[in-house]
Amino acid sequence: MAEIIQVQGCTKTFRANGVETQALRGVDLTVNDGELMMLVGPSGCGKTTLISILAGILAHDGGAVRVLGEDLGAMPAAQLPAFRRRNLGFVFQAFNLIPALDVLDNISIPLILNGVKRAEALERADDLATRVGLRDRRHHRPTQLSGGQQQRVAIARALVHDPRLVVCDEPTSALDHHTGEVVMEMLRSIALKPGRGLVIVTHDSRIFPYADRIATMDDGRIVSLKSQETAP
Amino acid sequence: MMRIALLMLTADRGRFIGIVTGVTFAALLITQQMSIFLGLLGRAGAPVQDVRQAQVWVMDPSQSAVDLDGVRPMGATALWRVRGTDGVDWAVEHLRVPIAVSLGDGARRSAMLVGIDADAWVGAPPTLVQGTWEDLRRSDAVIVDEDGATKLWRPNPDGTRRPLAVGDEVEINDHRAVVVGIARSTRAIFFAPPMWTTVERAKTWIPPQRRDVSYIVAGVAAGGDPAAVAAAITARTGLRAVTAPDFSVDSSAFFAANTGVPINFGIAVILGFLVGVAVAGLLFLQFVSENLRYLGALKAMGAENGLLVRMTMLQAVVVGAIGYGLGIGLAALMGHLAGGGTRTLAWEMPPWLLLGTGAAVFLIVLVAALLGVRRVITLEPAVVFRG
Ligand SMILES: Nc1ncnc2c1ncn2[C@@H]1O[C@H](COP(=O)(O)OP(=O)(O)OP(=O)(O)O)[C@@H](O)[C@H]1O
Ligand SMILES: [Mg+2]
């Protein structure tokens, strides 16, 4: 089975106002096909930095980063947006749904960005809205939805174009425990299938049971990696 | 995505209205001030335009504007020398002399005595409201401007004022003059009420040193070129000869160059422009800034810079177009309501002014858009994962 992600010796240093911060000090990580990988660790250890590099929205300094068979370090910057819109799905802590658009329009954005005609995009968005249980809310605005419902819309948006890698930064931290579980069930059941990988950064230990493997980071390195059985 | 851009723009209703209002205000102020300014410029040439038959105006070489820079009489032989120039079909004297009118009750008010040609009434204004030009042949006859008549008012017994009317007698430099008609002329810029009489009679009413010709107006032979004929007159007589349209423009230019008016209007226009840039630009920048997290999310999801820039430009162009339309529409409405196009308000709104306002609005929008676009381009997609 091919790996979705292969990272070796990845480093990243930020320079801001003359201050250097070594956010990643040599990360090695592999994410397998069909796997849900969780990144955990104390605040400031580099989780967001790593997931940003994996998603192709932040350039790393050293080491090798292969995502879906592509060497991101060697890919010209101009090709990154196209790579992202074809292969990546994003779920953000703050949802980042566009308030001016209704649920279906929000879900269909990745398709529109990929050049799918609006009518077809809306049809597929409708299908995803149904699968996350929001069919009766499909013409609501984000502000008319609860946090959990908004995050379900975000999950639908992250999956609508059938991306091979889905990255989530703190997807449940703005939600209560029960809602967080609903969202995780949904992510696992819809996002995870052969040929896909899922990387989730979280502080939220209550959702650890949903991971296939958990990588613990500290001070810019992965310090432990453990596999676990998950509920089917 | 362009549809999404427009939805994002209009969903933020308060700011959308704010930006449009800023652009509208700028377009309104620029158009309105310029229309009045152009109206005033036009009035400076009005006395020239009112002598419709004249194709060429001849005057003292040092004279550069009608009425505005005084009167410099030419020698008595000027008329014959002009008439003798090749290409001149006809030429007549046209007298314009500022006078004081005694209205009988001790009041003296200034007016502009215009001596016109008594053969073909060359120099008479376009519209006669009362009487006929032939009435000017009666002794001491004078015709008064309709608006001017209200300025040369007489007191009624009960203390109210009434405009000078047909049959009234006034005194011009101790000469009796009788009003035989009322005419309507185009408003001039400094409004001394015009009073028309024949050139011959006018010369008997004014001091001897001013009795020489103030202007000669001429027509060119059929098929002739007024500019060429004017040049020929200058060559032959040494006098200044220009086509009527040129003299009208010269008069406007003289007005613009010798008064503070253009500066005042210029300041208002620049102010309108700057306020437009400030209000529309800042609000638009605010709008873009507040949408940065969504734009960042779009960027992360693979939207190219070019696409986001086009979305931002479209938003700017749309507020610009709406503001422009509202602005010039409001300006036109204000001009109409305030009496533009009539005699009360100096108001001219030519197509090129609307184009000019359009260019100014485009600049405003461009500045606003560039401010926004800069933030969009420099936006790092990685911000989407930061709190
Ligand atoms: N753009 C940046 N400029 C400068 N320093 C940065 C930048 N982004 C991250 N850092 C620094 O890099 C280190 C790792 O940050 P990162 O956001 O990856 O941590 P994290 O594990 O996601 O933390 P948290 O759990 O609080 O979200 C921190 O010390 C942070 O201050
Ligand atoms: Mg983080």
Side-chain angles (χ1 to χ4, degrees):
Chain A
M1 208 184 275
E3 294 88 4
I4 299 290
I5 292 170
Q6 255 185 315
V7 179
Q8 269 166 357
C10 178
T11 59
K12 176 72 184 177
T13 303
F14 289 106
R15 282 171 199 85
N17 312 320
V19 183
E20 288 201 356
T21 312
Q22 260 196 296
L24 300 182
R25 301 168 185 266
V27 168
D28 301 319
L29 182 71
T30 304
V31 177
N32 296 313
D33 193 337
E35 184 175 47
L36 194 163
M37 171 72 77
M38 266 185 205
L39 291 177
V40 303
S43 183
C45 69
K47 304 181 296 293
T48 296
T49 304
L50 178 58
I51 203 178
S52 300
I53 290 170
L54 298 179
I57 56 177
L58 185 68
H60 59 286
D61 297 333
V65 177
R66 293 188 76 83
V67 176
L68 303 170
E70 301 280 348
D71 180 354
L72 291 192
M75 188 181 287
Q79 287 175 19
L80 279 169
F83 175 78
R84 292 199 298 268
R85 66 177 172 260
R86 281 186 208 117
N87 301 306
L88 272 134
F90 290 85
V91 178
F92 311 101
Q93 176 179 2
F95 322 137
N96 286 346
L97 302 172
I98 297 178
L101 307 182
D102 70 10
V103 165
L104 284 193
D105 274 333
N106 264 297
I107 295 177
S108 66
I109 285 174
L111 294 172
I112 303 284
L113 286 176
N114 276 299
V116 176
K117 290 267 173 302
R118 182 156 182 262
E120 189 194 333
L122 287 180
E123 213 168 286
R124 283 164 66 180
D126 197 73
D127 180 43
L128 258 293
T130 307
R131 290 172 68 188
V132 296
L134 290 174
R135 196 181 148 70
D136 55 336
R137 300 286 157 102
R138 63 194 192 281
H139 293 303
H140 283 53
R141 296 286 164 88
T143 50
Q144 298 168 313
L145 301 176
S146 71
Q149 289 170 332
Q150 290 187 53
Q151 199 58 306
R152 276 143 71 186
V153 175
I155 289 170
R157 179 176 68 178
L159 299 174
V160 71
H161 55 309
D162 210 12
R164 293 187 57 207
L165 173 61
V166 178
V167 292
C168 316
D169 197 2
E170 313 273 9
T172 60
S173 67
L175 309 175
D176 65 53
H177 176 52
H178 173 70
T179 314
E181 281 186 338
V182 171
V183 161
M184 284 310 298
E185 302 266 1
M186 220 149 253
L187 267 175
R188 260 203 90 88
S189 65
I190 306 174
L192 220 52
K193 53 185 183 186
R196 270 193 194 161
L198 192 50
V199 180
I200 297 177
V201 165
T202 189
H203 272 116
D204 184 357
S205 59
R206 295 167 307 189
I207 66 169
F208 289 176
Y210 293 90
D212 294 309
R213 285 197 293 164
I214 298 178
T216 306
M217 293 183 71
D218 195 11
D219 197 19
R221 288 190 189 84
I222 290 179
V223 292
S224 83
L225 193 62
K226 74 170 190 275
S227 304
Q228 57 180 24
E229 288 294 316
T230 53
Chain B
M1 291 310 283
M2 294 306 139
R3 179 179 155 272
I4 290 175
L6 293 181
L7 285 173
M8 287 171 83
L9 176 68
T10 51
D12 192 349
R13 191 138 304 163
R15 194 162 287 117
F16 175 64
I17 291 171
I19 302 168
V20 168
T21 305
V23 177
T24 301
F25 176 76
L28 170 65
L29 203 64
I30 293 172
T31 311
Q32 190 242 14
Q33 293 291 307
M34 282 298 291
S35 292
I36 294 178
F37 177 58
L38 292 175
L40 288 177
L41 279 189
R43 282 185 175 186
V48 176
Q49 286 154 23
D50 265 3
V51 184
R52 285 153 308 152
Q53 306 94 324
Q55 290 169 288
V56 176
W57 283 64
V58 186
M59 65 210 78
D60 184 85
S62 65
Q63 181 103 37
S64 53
V66 68
D67 295 349
L68 302 175
D69 66 342
V71 200
R72 297 183 191 74
M74 298 173 283
T77 59
L79 182 60
W80 303 107
R81 288 186 286 150
V82 171
R83 281 185 177 159
T85 307
D86 282 344
V88 173
D89 187 27
W90 54 264
V92 296
E93 294 182 14
H94 186 73
L95 211 75
R96 302 185 71 85
V97 179
I99 50 163
V101 184
S102 303
L103 293 162
D105 53 346
R108 285 160 64 86
R109 275 183 278 278
S110 57
M112 176 69 72
L113 184 63
V114 185
I116 61 176
D117 158 59
D119 292 329
W121 305 115
V122 171
T127 315
L128 202 50
V129 182
Q130 267 185 65
T132 67
W133 291 106
E134 292 300 321
D135 289 336
L136 276 189
R137 298 197 197 286
R138 285 154 48 186
S139 63
D140 303 332
V142 71
I143 289 180
V144 182
D145 178 72
E146 190 180 35
D147 290 342
T150 62
K151 279 199 155 189
L152 303 171
W153 52 270
R154 291 235 158 137
N156 284 321
D158 63 353
T160 56
R161 300 170 174 188
R162 69 166 177 83
L164 207 58
V166 170
D168 282 342
E169 278 186 27
V170 296
E171 258 178 33
I172 297 172
N173 295 336
D174 297 331
H175 299 277
R176 188 183 92 109
V178 183
V179 178
V180 298
I182 303 287
R184 187 176 296 151
S185 63
T186 307
R187 271 267 200 166
I189 197 143
F190 297 124
F191 191 61
M195 303 179 89
W196 297 270
T197 189
T198 63
V199 174
E200 289 71 24
R201 187 177 303 120
K203 283 184 177 176
T204 68
W205 286 352
I206 57 179
Q209 66 274 17
R210 315 191 81 164
R211 283 182 188 165
D212 287 339
V213 192
S214 38
Y215 298 96
I216 293 164
V217 293
V220 305
D225 171 21
V229 172
I233 294 172
T234 300
R236 182 181 152 98
T237 64
L239 296 168
R240 178 164 186 257
V242 285
T243 65
D246 282 354
F247 192 37
S248 175
V249 169
D250 287 351
S251 300
S252 298
F254 181 88
F255 168 71
N258 290 281
T259 63
V261 171
I263 294 174
N264 287 331
F265 282 93
I267 288 173
V269 167
I270 290 170
L271 220 67
F273 180 77
L274 291 181
V275 168
V277 169
V279 173
L282 287 181
L283 284 177
F284 191 76
L285 187 61
Q286 245 182 42
F287 163 75
V288 171
S289 303
E290 239 156 70
N291 278 301
L292 274 185
R293 41 189 289 227
Y294 309 117
L295 297 174
L298 290 176
K299 240 185 195 189
M301 288 189 274
E304 310 269 356
N305 266 338
L307 174 67
L308 297 178
V309 167
R310 286 204 304 283
M311 288 171 68
T312 307
M313 295 298 267
L314 175 72
Q315 290 164 337
V317 165
V318 164
V319 290
I322 296 174
Y324 171 68
L326 286 177
I328 62 171
L330 279 178
L333 188 69
M334 278 174 64
H336 181 72
L337 293 181
T342 67
R343 292 149 58 77
T344 43
L345 181 70
W347 183 271
E348 224 169 285
M349 210 167 132
W352 66 258
L353 172 59
L354 300 185
L355 283 178
T357 304
V361 167
F362 180 76
L363 261 178
I364 292 172
V365 165
L366 196 70
V367 171
L370 287 182
L371 290 173
V373 160
R374 205 180 57 95
R375 301 218 49 181
V376 170
I377 289 178
T378 55
L379 176 66
E380 286 292 335
V383 300
V384 294
F385 279 150
R386 313 232 158 259

